[in-house]
């Protein structure tokens, strides 16, 4: 059966997950992830012996245990949610009269790989490609790495498609409204909390000095959501999670802040992770489980995690807006 032509395609690209929550599956996944120069930018002569001599012999077991805590019947949550987002975006674009635009998804690390998905799109007659890195805030470690991955996948190809690339949407009105609405809905259902923490994935602190706009964009997102919700400054805080290695990362650190709030007598806090477009290990295991235990162990009594936007209709409408705005001129 011939494939449906897809001269215009949208490719959603997220980080990725291992194929299984096992040490065997984690090792190649982590090797690919931590070998990326955008993720760890240390000199190769310094980093690779550490990676292969220490990290890949210790971290796969720990990471596999963490993944087992969140693994679902349909596999890794990030992969399953991205698949649902892809289907939902396809339907939303069709409802806007853009059903001829093919929507696909890929992962920067692991499967479905960027190179495999681009081969599939080429077989469908791809001529124009809009790449959507699934990171609202730009960082060299995420967004730029997606750009690298696409470029690498196209490097050996003849006849590459016309290419467009969405850099960020950290203060897009529909994104801010979707975040604010998710907080409002959660508050209506569960009551108010003493403190709302906006937690973003961390990066080394020096990245900002070297030109990465990530920190400023995280701050701008939080400021916009707080303004939308009319939150007083004492009711919320921005923190950074998931640090790795010994050098200073963006602060304040999420775990240290959560610990300190519990020690200071706060009993009820709530977390949202605006930088994650789909729930994954860092939200479901680290923020919803591990840091919850930390808070309760040090005196807190109530800790909530507000889910990522995932395939919420407001999120899909935002993605459709981004697509519609960025394919202008391709419809002529």
């Amino acid at each position: 059966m011939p494939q449906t032509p897809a001269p215009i395609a949208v490719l959603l690209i997220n980080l990725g997950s291992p194929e299984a929550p096992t040490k065997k599956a984690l090792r190649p996944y982590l090797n690919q992830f931590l070998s990326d120069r955008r993720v760890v930018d240390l000199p190769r002569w310094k980093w690779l012996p550490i990676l292969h001599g220490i990290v890949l012999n210790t971290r796969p077991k720990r990471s596999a245990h963490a993944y087992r805590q969140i693994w679902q019947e349909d596999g890794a949550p990030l992969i399953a949610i991205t698949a649902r987002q892809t289907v939902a975006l396809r339907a939303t674009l069709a409802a806007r009269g853009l059903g001829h635009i093919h929507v696909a998804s890929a992962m920067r690390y692991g499967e479905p790989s960027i190179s495999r998905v681009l081969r599939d799109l080429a077989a469908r007659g791809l001529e124009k490609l809009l790449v959507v890195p699934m990171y609202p805030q730009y960082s060299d470690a995420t967004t730029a790495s997606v750009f690298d991955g696409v470029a690498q996948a196209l490097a050996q190809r003849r006849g590459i498609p016309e290419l467009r690339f969405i850099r960020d949407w950290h203060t897009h009105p529909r994104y801010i409204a979707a975040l604010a609405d998710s907080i409002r809905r959660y508050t209506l259902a569960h009551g108010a909390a003493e403190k709302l923490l906006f937690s973003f994935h961390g990066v080394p602190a020096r990245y900002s000095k070297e030109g990465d706009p990530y920190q400023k964009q995280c701050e701008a997102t939080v400021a916009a959501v707080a303004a939308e919700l009319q939150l007083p400054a004492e009711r919320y805080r921005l923190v950074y999670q998931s640090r790795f290695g010994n050098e200073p990362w963006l602060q304040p650190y999420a775990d240290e802040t959560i610990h300190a709030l519990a020690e200071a007598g706060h009993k009820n806090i709530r977390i949202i992770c605006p930088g994650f477009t789909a729930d994954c290990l860092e939200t479901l295991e680290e923020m919803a489980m591990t840091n919850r235990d930390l808070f309760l162990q040090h005196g807190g009594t109530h800790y909530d995690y507000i889910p990522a936007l995932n395939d919420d209709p407001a999120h899909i409408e935002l993605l459709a807006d981004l697509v519609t705005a960025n394919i202008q001129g391709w419809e002529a």
Side-chain angles (χ1 to χ4, degrees), residues 257-306:
T257 300
I258 289 166
H259 185 172
L261 287 172
E263 293 280 0
H266 290 271
K267 300 299 183 183
N268 184 345
I269 68 171
R270 189 160 292 157
I271 315 295
I272 189 169
C273 298
F276 294 86
T277 52
D279 275 314
C280 57
L281 185 73
E282 288 81 3
T283 63
L284 297 175
E285 192 278 335
E286 180 183 359
M287 298 309 297
M289 295 180 185
T290 300
N291 282 332
R292 178 181 184 274
D293 291 344
L294 178 67
F295 185 67
L296 299 182
Q297 287 166 8
H298 289 88
T301 58
H302 201 87
Y303 177 106
D304 287 328
Y305 167 68
I306 301 174

Side-chain angles (χ1 to χ4, degrees), residues 25-45:
L26 260 297
R27 186 178 174 87
Y29 172 76
L30 289 174
N31 184 31
Q32 184 187 14
F33 175 42
L34 296 174
S35 295
D36 188 337
R37 291 175 182 270
R38 296 281 193 181
V39 175
V40 181
D41 67 347
L42 296 174
R44 298 296 91 178
W45 65 265

